[in-house]
Amino acid sequence: MNSRLKKAKGFTLIEMLVSIGIFSVLMGVLSGIFLSSIKSQTHIVYTQYLVDNSNFILDYMGRYIRMAQKDTTGICLGAGNAKDNFLPTSGASSSITFLDYKNQCHRLFLDSGAGQIKEQIDSNPAQVLTSDKIKVLDLKFNVTGGANSDNLQPKITIMIKSQANTTQDLNPLPQVTVQTSISQRNLDKQI
Amino acid sequence: MAGTHRKNSGFTLLEMILAIAIISVGVLGVHNGMAFAIENTKKAREYFMGAYLAQEGVEIVKNIRDNNWVRDAGDPWNQGLTFCASGCEGDYSTNTLTAWASGRNLKIDSSGFYNYDNGTSTVYKRKITVTQDANPDIMDITVDIYWSGLTTTVKENIYNWYQ
């Protein structure tokens, strides 16, 4: 009985140290891989937010810009710009104003402080178009041929640069810069 | 009794090696899966940007056609497009196309726009091909975007609808 107890008493110190050592190395490697997987996954999710939001915004703005019409009376662009299509009539800017196909005075612009793209219809309060998951770093509209007298069909180039809006340490923060151009559908015949 | 105890006292070396091997294969599998997902997200982002650049190519061609009408100078509806059967290039800042030579990379200028003249080179090349359809009032547009061995293509027809 006495000898049986001695044999069954447990692990020696060396055995314990070795097994704890192996266990911690293994756990260290495993949790490292696990943590880096979680970080990559967050990175992927934010990249997806950026792509989805840029896609929605470009589609939404593109539809209104494509269907814009000549402001024959200057009700939207002001009397000085009557008969024009877009304000500004040429060059790059962070906002654009035009008479949309619903005869609303439509303004699309970047609120750079908030990092959001907003729209304002007539004199209603501005509405936010982007999700709070993303921060819009830059929005530019480059207008060619927005005036009545330039004998050019209006072409609007839109550039959106956005970044993940998170305080998590995703070094580097995912960014997406996307650009496209829209040629207005209604012919801009000089009147 | 003592013999039984010795036999049940732990794992053999072989068992340990097997267990560690199985765990490692599992963990490496997950890790590789993750790397694959990251690579695909990167590609999806590049395809997304490429698709909008391709759309821009179509819009540039439509804009040139519409300019021919807006100018009202009696120009043919497809003026400036007929020489692009074997490829052209054009960016947002000009109202004309130039023949595709060996293909230039698009650059991003200081305001963030893709163009050919100034800024830092990007991976993207854009080839705009406009061919005459069997019907003289239709032109077929094909825009190819090339980058890092990948390609995305957009096709569109434009019509001589305005009299």
Side-chain angles (χ1 to χ4, degrees), chain A residues 16 82 143 149 165 168 175 178 182:
Chain A
M16 278 304 285
V143 183
S149 56
N165 187 20
Q168 289 184 65
Q175 274 194 4
V178 63
I182 308 288

Side-chain angles (χ1 to χ4, degrees), chain A residues 30 33 37 40 44 55 66 140 142 151-155 157 159 175 177 179-181 183 187-189, chain B residues 27 34 38 41 45 48-49 52 55-56 59 63 66-67 69-70 72 92 94 111-114 162:
Chain A
L30 283 181
I33 291 176
S37 299
S40 314
I44 289 172
N55 198 11
R66 199 186 303 281
K140 286 235 169 61
N142 187 77
N151 276 332
L152 288 171
Q153 179 70 5
K155 177 172 69 183
T157 303
M159 187 277 297
Q175 274 194 4
T177 306
Q179 172 187 328
T180 197
S181 293
S183 184
L187 279 186
D188 177 28
K189 287 288 206 181
Chain B
V27 169
M34 216 56 215
I38 292 169
T41 313
R45 180 173 162 277
F48 167 70
M49 288 151 69
Y52 271 105
Q55 185 194 335
E56 180 176 75
E59 297 286 332
N63 193 252
D66 290 356
N67 274 339
W69 290 326
V70 169
D72 223 355
Y92 81 99
T94 59
S111 22
F113 289 116
Y114 286 88
Y162 184 75

Side-chain angles (χ1 to χ4, degrees), chain B residues 144-163:
Chain B
D144 298 295
I145 307 287
Y146 304 104
W147 77 99
S148 322
L150 301 171
T151 309
T152 186
T153 302
V154 168
K155 286 179 192 286
E156 172 81 303
N157 297 334
I158 51 169
Y159 298 84
N160 181 17
W161 59 268
Y162 184 75
Q163 298 303 320

Side-chain angles (χ1 to χ4, degrees), chain A residues 104-176:
Chain A
Q104 301 161 330
C105 190
H106 215 121
R107 187 164 81 99
L108 300 162
F109 62 102
L110 172 69
D111 182 340
S112 52
Q116 293 169 322
I117 298 177
K118 295 185 175 175
E119 73 171 345
Q120 187 177 10
I121 293 172
D122 295 329
S123 49
N124 298 323
Q127 301 285 325
V128 181
L129 294 177
T130 42
S131 142
D132 57 5
K133 297 282 199 309
I134 73 161
K135 184 172 168 50
V136 181
L137 301 180
D138 203 0
L139 167 72
K140 286 235 169 61
F141 300 98
N142 187 77
V143 183
T144 322
N148 173 46
S149 56
D150 52 23
N151 276 332
L152 288 171
Q153 179 70 5
K155 177 172 69 183
I156 317 298
T157 303
I158 311 169
M159 187 277 297
I160 302 172
K161 181 178 181 185
S162 52
Q163 189 179 54
N165 187 20
T166 172
T167 51
Q168 289 184 65
D169 176 29
L170 297 174
N171 203 14
L173 276 177
Q175 274 194 4
V176 167

